[in-house]
Amino acid sequence: MSDLSSSRRGQGSCRRCGTSYHNRWKPALCQNCGFEIGGKVSAKPKTTPIPQAVRITENLYSVRKLRTGPDHRCFVEIRGEHKICMFKQCLDKRNLFVCQGDGESFSCEHTELCNSEVPFGEKFFLTRDKIGAIPLDTNTKKDLFDLSESLEGNTSTKRPSVVKVSDRTFAVASSSTFEFVHMNNIGSKSFLCFETECKPKSGSVGKTTGKRKSTCIHSHCLVATLGDSQLPEAAVAETTPSIVTRSKARHASIRCLRSRVLFPSDLKALLKKCQELEAVPTPGGVDLPAEFNYTGSSCHLCGSPLSSAKPHQGTDGTARLMTHRHPFWPVRASVRRCLQERCGAIHQCQPMESGIPLFNLGNKLFVTLEFFVDWRHLLKRGTPLSTAIAAKLETLMLRTPSAHKPSVNELAYIERQLSNGYWGFEVLSERDEVQSICGFCGTCPEILIGDGNEKNCCSSRQIEYAQTNQQSPSTSTSQSTTSSEGPFTTDTVIDSSDSSNTALGSIRDPLTEAVESQLLERVVFARNASHLSVASEEVLPFMNGKVGSCLINTEFKKSTAAIKHIPGDPNRMMDLIKSDQFIVSQLDKYSDAELNSLCRSCSLPSSGQSSVIYGSKILTRRESVRDAVDLFLSMKYPPIMFVCDSPCSFSRHLELRDKELAVTFWGDQRGCFEKPVSTKPPAQDVNFPEILPGEFAIEPIHLVPEALLEPNQHPVSGMKRRFIVGDRFHTANNPHKSPLCTYHNIDNCLQGVAYKTSYAESQNNVRNVKRLRSSCAQSFETHFMYNRLMDIYHNEDIVRKQMNIQSAKNAQDLRRGAYMRLVSGPAP
């Protein structure tokens, strides 16, 4: 074969003009003459490289913070013979030198870039004609005129108002003490200002508005200076295909990881493998390799061929091993990508597939699973995850050789990756949902206590609210334990008939899937590009799939107006509504005399003891009785007796929401032990043995077989009757004014003495002590996952104690019987 033919291997040429091209990137049209060649690769637009440093004025430079990645920049200012970097981290470092009297010797990578010849950026100037040509309010135009005058100054040379730094970044003149600010093009003629006052900030009393300053003078200055003709056109539109492809590849990579990795629930066997791993003296063998490469040849999802092994994009293939014996040990890692255009899944080496107890975090860290097990137990006891990880890293740094110790910045990066890895570990952990169901009550508890928890909250910045419903200041969590119409016209309901459960062991819902995918994306990719935003109506209750029949969320129907105390007797008002003597929808048709009569009749002025959590709900608006009703109706077998803060409001809400169901549950007794009437006080010796707790029962409890159950019939009592009562704390300290509310007192029943309703309050306080240490600065997805995991682990600890008690009483094997209750003896 000749040298000429050898040099043209893999190439073709245009039949019209002879222009050569690579067969792998065969274009559709010849780039020289436009002749149709028949390929599928379109010509890529040439991109201008981003300059590392650009000179703005004689004494000011714009420098990239990082040599690669997004075009985020800082300023370097010349003061006399010194160059001072205005990047905060560099200023902090320089401060140490200055304190030691050696500030002149300090330099950073940003100032080093300004030592060579740096070209000036393209300059643009603001004129009065340009300001008058754009439609702006009077105050904004006045600010621009003042800015224009300040740029003219007392010198003969006018300073520019805008300097083009790169294709996407501009330096814009500022009226503040500093001369310029950076603005990035984030879309078609849309810009992001990096001035501190123009960034999103928090409001008062912990409210996070998520909004920018109402008027950003810099964006107006940029638009006025450049005009529509010189503004960058739809830069995002050019990159849309690649972004879409990258998004598909990310989702495919997440599905690939989920289908390949499932950490076992048997922690003893897992920790034994970790112990064997620690016994390996030096990485480099079969038990602990020094290189981690995916060995498969076809895609795990679609079966298409994979590319050759190469380092993860943006890395050089270097990673670190994280074990007790080999902390921060350098290793090599590569990935293989699916060549199918519609898939593109990244296949990383997951050592667990080979029986090695390591978790691959973004091809940057290979961490022993023993770390994650330790952090899980610390998290269950209220230790913040960041504290646990920081303590572990400090200990590992003490035993790490100097040659392997990471830098300060790298250590901070490792800490973030370990935090992301822990949540990914929890998502991919195998769980037995049965182990979080109360062994005594099973799936049909006799009594539940509802309690809200406004202290356990996170920012609501990621919650999207409908236009007619403004957001509340925070997102809080309410729980149910043993012992306004908006634009949506139907309730948000998720059925439990889907047997495929998530790693959390709950009913599958879109929000849980989105949160888990978001957390796994942080594991697969070192840089997480996506941002999770959640519609408020999608935040459904959390409930075990064997306990709940469906997930009901009607929170978007709440009124967003501030709730004020309304005097009068709401129970009497309810009597008038039920008897059709008062029709709310016809309020505007009533005469003054009829309204006065109505007001007078309603006293209105004429002017579980086991503490297993059965369900919880993250609230995106102010708490109301609607939340407790949502949890109550979500259960497969609503409890015989439900204890809550506002029992009378609970029963009224349910009667108006589902009149037929309310009639089935309590007829005309409104959840009380007897029919409430205003002419006599409630009886104090009502007898309902059906609600006596199992630990006090003398006769054995006979459960109604599930096959014989009628709709809304409870398996324990055999009745459809339900009771709604108040807890003793709120009844004594915050009683309602209506005398009919006393009919909801739990002490009216002889069996009420067996219940300690204040126990739930103390248990809620214990959970707060643990949870509030960690939930102060959590994002929504972390708050979501954290609270659901804490619910599961809280229940598992209680069930474990129950099983120990039962085992001590009866040596026979324990198993789950009817309705998931613990029984002893062999299965029938």
Side-chain angles (χ1 to χ4, degrees), residues 752-783:
V753 70
Y755 295 101
K756 298 179 180 179
T757 61
S758 60
Y759 184 69
E761 294 286 341
S762 62
Q763 287 295 308
N764 198 19
N765 181 67
V766 171
R767 287 192 292 272
N768 276 346
V769 171
K770 294 181 179 180
R771 300 192 187 199
L772 296 184
R773 297 175 190 167
S774 300
S775 63
C776 297
Q778 292 177 342
S779 62
F780 174 80
E781 57 267 28
T782 306
H783 183 79

Side-chain angles (χ1 to χ4, degrees), residues 130-329:
K130 291 181 178 180
I131 299 174
I134 60 175
L136 291 173
D137 60 272
T138 305
N139 293 332
T140 304
K141 283 193 175 184
K142 182 179 181 302
D143 292 339
L144 288 179
F145 284 132
D146 293 342
L147 177 60
S148 178
E149 292 178 1
S150 66
L151 292 175
E152 293 178 0
N154 298 323
T155 61
S156 58
T157 304
K158 182 177 181 179
R159 290 186 298 150
S161 59
V162 175
V163 177
K164 185 176 182 180
V165 176
S166 67
D167 290 342
R168 295 290 185 88
T169 306
F170 295 84
V172 183
S174 175
S175 57
S176 60
T177 55
F178 201 67
E179 293 183 355
F180 287 86
V181 298
H182 282 120
M183 295 193 70
N184 279 12
N185 175 228
I186 58 174
S188 178
K189 302 180 182 180
S190 298
F191 292 87
L192 177 64
C193 181
F194 285 89
E195 173 68 14
T196 303
E197 295 182 355
C198 301
K199 288 182 178 179
K201 53 188 177 181
S202 298
S204 59
V205 200
K207 297 181 180 180
T208 303
T209 61
K211 298 181 180 178
R212 298 185 178 273
K213 188 178 178 182
S214 58
T215 301
C216 176
I217 191 64
H218 312 108
S219 61
H220 292 306
C221 177
L222 180 65
V223 173
T225 302
L226 298 183
D228 287 340
S229 60
Q230 299 185 55
L231 282 176
E233 292 300 330
V236 173
E238 297 177 359
T239 58
T240 297
S242 61
I243 291 177
V244 172
T245 302
R246 182 177 61 184
S247 177
K248 288 182 179 179
R250 280 180 171 255
H251 289 302
S253 302
I254 295 170
R255 295 198 310 272
C256 181
L257 173 64
R258 188 188 285 272
S259 63
R260 291 171 53 202
V261 179
L262 181 64
F263 298 116
S265 59
D266 186 358
L267 295 183
K268 291 184 178 179
L270 183 64
L271 293 177
K272 184 178 180 180
K273 289 185 177 181
C274 294
Q275 187 177 4
E276 296 173 353
L277 183 69
E278 298 291 346
V280 179
T282 305
V286 178
D287 296 331
L288 183 58
E291 292 190 11
F292 295 89
N293 304 313
Y294 184 74
T295 57
S297 59
S298 59
C299 178
H300 194 78
L301 296 179
C302 66
S304 301
L306 301 178
S307 67
S308 58
K310 57 183 178 181
H312 202 294
Q313 185 178 3
T315 69
D316 58 357
T318 302
R320 289 185 181 271
L321 182 66
M322 297 290 292
T323 66
H324 285 107
R325 187 168 185 175
H326 308 290
F328 308 105
W329 191 282

Side-chain angles (χ1 to χ4, degrees), residues 507-768:
I507 301 175
R508 180 181 294 275
D509 66 276
L511 177 58
T512 303
E513 291 287 344
V515 169
E516 291 183 355
S517 296
Q518 177 79 4
L519 296 175
L520 289 180
E521 184 178 359
R522 298 175 182 176
V523 173
V524 180
F525 300 95
R527 291 179 179 175
N528 182 30
S530 63
H531 173 77
L532 179 66
S533 59
V534 181
S536 60
E537 66 271 12
E538 294 178 355
V539 185
L540 301 176
F542 170 62
M543 191 168 289
N544 193 298
K546 297 186 180 298
V547 171
S549 60
C550 59
L551 298 182
I552 300 175
N553 178 29
T554 62
E555 197 175 2
F556 53 82
K557 293 185 176 182
K558 290 179 181 177
S559 172
T560 58
I563 300 176
K564 300 180 179 179
H565 174 69
I566 301 176
D569 191 340
N571 284 302
R572 293 180 180 177
M573 175 72 75
M574 188 65 191
D575 288 334
L576 296 177
I577 294 175
K578 291 183 65 176
S579 62
D580 292 334
Q581 297 181 42
F582 173 56
I583 302 175
V584 179
S585 60
Q586 300 179 6
L587 181 62
D588 56 341
K589 298 181 180 180
Y590 285 88
S591 63
D592 292 343
E594 291 173 326
L595 289 175
N596 286 330
S597 175
L598 171 67
C599 291
R600 286 193 298 271
S601 63
C602 299
S603 301
L604 289 170
S606 300
S607 50
Q609 302 295 348
S610 67
S611 269
V612 168
I613 298 173
Y614 269 77
S616 62
K617 183 180 180 184
I618 294 179
L619 308 184
T620 60
R621 293 179 172 85
R622 185 190 299 269
E623 181 187 3
S624 73
V625 71
R626 179 182 290 276
D627 305 307
V629 176
D630 283 349
L631 289 172
F632 183 83
L633 297 180
S634 294
M635 296 197 62
K636 187 180 297 183
Y637 306 111
I640 302 173
M641 185 163 66
F642 186 75
V643 183
C644 60
D645 300 349
S646 304
C648 49
S649 300
F650 184 104
S651 58
R652 288 197 304 269
H653 176 87
L654 186 55
E655 289 180 2
L656 293 174
R657 180 167 165 177
D658 194 333
K659 184 176 181 180
E660 295 182 0
L661 184 62
V663 171
T664 302
F665 280 163
W666 50 69
D668 60 353
Q669 298 187 3
R670 298 186 185 173
C672 304
F673 299 109
E674 58 180 318
K675 182 179 179 180
V677 292
S678 57
T679 55
K680 71 178 185 69
Q684 301 293 318
D685 55 354
V686 182
N687 183 24
F688 279 100
E690 295 85 1
I691 65 172
L692 189 68
E695 57 266 34
F696 295 107
I698 300 177
E699 300 293 333
I701 298 176
H702 298 286
L703 300 175
V704 180
E706 190 170 5
L708 302 179
L709 273 180
E710 298 179 7
N712 300 315
Q713 186 181 12
H714 197 278
V716 176
S717 65
M719 303 185 307
K720 299 182 180 181
R721 181 82 177 273
R722 299 295 194 275
F723 303 97
I724 311 298
V725 299
D727 63 84
R728 294 187 177 90
F729 176 82
H730 289 88
T731 301
N733 294 280
N734 191 24
H736 287 198
K737 293 184 177 181
S738 173
L740 298 182
C741 293
T742 58
Y743 280 83
H744 289 279
N745 194 327
I746 191 174
D747 292 326
N748 294 342
C749 181
L750 295 175
Q751 288 74 20
V753 70
Y755 295 101
K756 298 179 180 179
T757 61
S758 60
Y759 184 69
E761 294 286 341
S762 62
Q763 287 295 308
N764 198 19
N765 181 67
V766 171
R767 287 192 292 272
N768 276 346

